[in-house]
Amino acid sequence: LALPQRSPFHLQKIEDGHLNNSLGSPVQADVYFPRLIVPFCGHIKGGMRPGKKILVMGIVDLNPESFGISLTCGESEDPPADVAIELKAVFTERQFVRNSCVAGEWGEEQSSIPYFPFIPDQPFRVEILCEHPRFRIFVDGHQLFDFYHRIETLSAIDTIKINGDLQLTKLG
């Protein structure tokens, strides 16, 4: 993940062997990110592909309403970029909803979950695993649900956006 704009905030050194170039070989180990400020927008190097995992670690705010994690095809706001998957934790309803937006049209929202995994003022770990037919979503190591791809070209999914009532502690 690399940010398109430079930030005046402190730089944090992150070493992560999971960053690959388009040929799949490791890039230099020392990658610098500005601090993980919310709202966050970052680049997914080479886009998504089966077997690729996105890790989002953070701490829920003390009095949260909601937060969201989206994987999109680029950063365009006008026209809006396609959203491959948008995950939204809604605390008032204890829902973790997901949806996608293709060519400006939002699909059918999915909201069934076995339990609501997020607790105010507590850390969490969300993993989004890309498989051939779907994304598998894990929270704190437990598989919560699957979301079947609505965007066919996985490599076009190259941007992660995070917003709402949370602090980010790690991305990978």
Side-chain angles (χ1 to χ4, degrees):
L1 301 176
L3 286 184
Q5 72 273 10
R6 293 287 163 241
S7 167
F9 299 102
H10 301 295
L11 294 178
Q12 176 181 7
K13 185 174 176 186
I14 296 184
E15 294 183 18
D16 186 349
H18 294 292
L19 296 172
N20 293 321
N21 66 20
S22 57
L23 300 174
S25 59
V27 294
Q28 65 195 60
D30 294 344
V31 179
Y32 291 91
F33 290 122
R35 283 199 13 235
L36 300 173
I37 302 296
V38 177
F40 177 89
C41 180
H43 182 70
I44 301 167
K45 201 166 184 70
M48 294 302 289
R49 65 178 180 277
K52 193 162 192 169
K53 186 191 295 184
I54 300 288
L55 170 68
V56 178
M57 293 175 68
I59 302 170
V60 178
D61 284 354
L62 188 56
N63 294 303
E65 287 181 26
S66 67
F67 69 81
I69 301 169
S70 300
L71 300 182
T72 65
C73 301
E75 297 175 46
S76 173
E77 301 290 337
D78 187 22
D82 283 350
V83 178
I85 184 169
E86 178 182 80
L87 304 170
K88 189 169 185 184
V90 183
F91 286 82
T92 50
E93 299 162 22
R94 296 182 62 76
Q95 289 284 341
F96 196 25
V97 295
R98 52 266 182 210
N99 204 344
S100 66
C101 183
V102 182
E105 298 283 320
W106 284 94
E108 186 178 333
E109 189 174 88
Q110 299 175 10
S111 61
S112 64
I113 47 173
Y115 62 95
F116 186 72
F118 302 104
I119 301 168
D121 203 30
Q122 292 296 311
F124 65 86
R125 174 189 181 104
V126 172
E127 293 171 272
I128 304 169
L129 175 63
C130 183
E131 293 184 344
H132 180 63
R134 67 191 163 220
F135 290 112
R136 292 210 122 144
I137 310 304
F138 297 83
V139 178
D140 298 329
H142 299 282
Q143 184 184 342
L144 208 55
F145 52 80
D146 291 346
F147 185 84
Y148 284 82
H149 295 306
R150 299 176 185 173
I151 289 183
E152 310 238 330
T153 311
L154 298 180
S155 61
I157 305 167
D158 65 358
T159 303
I160 180 168
K161 297 180 178 182
I162 303 169
N163 59 28
D165 303 319
L166 77 161
Q167 300 162 46
L168 288 175
T169 56
K170 181 176 181 181
L171 282 177

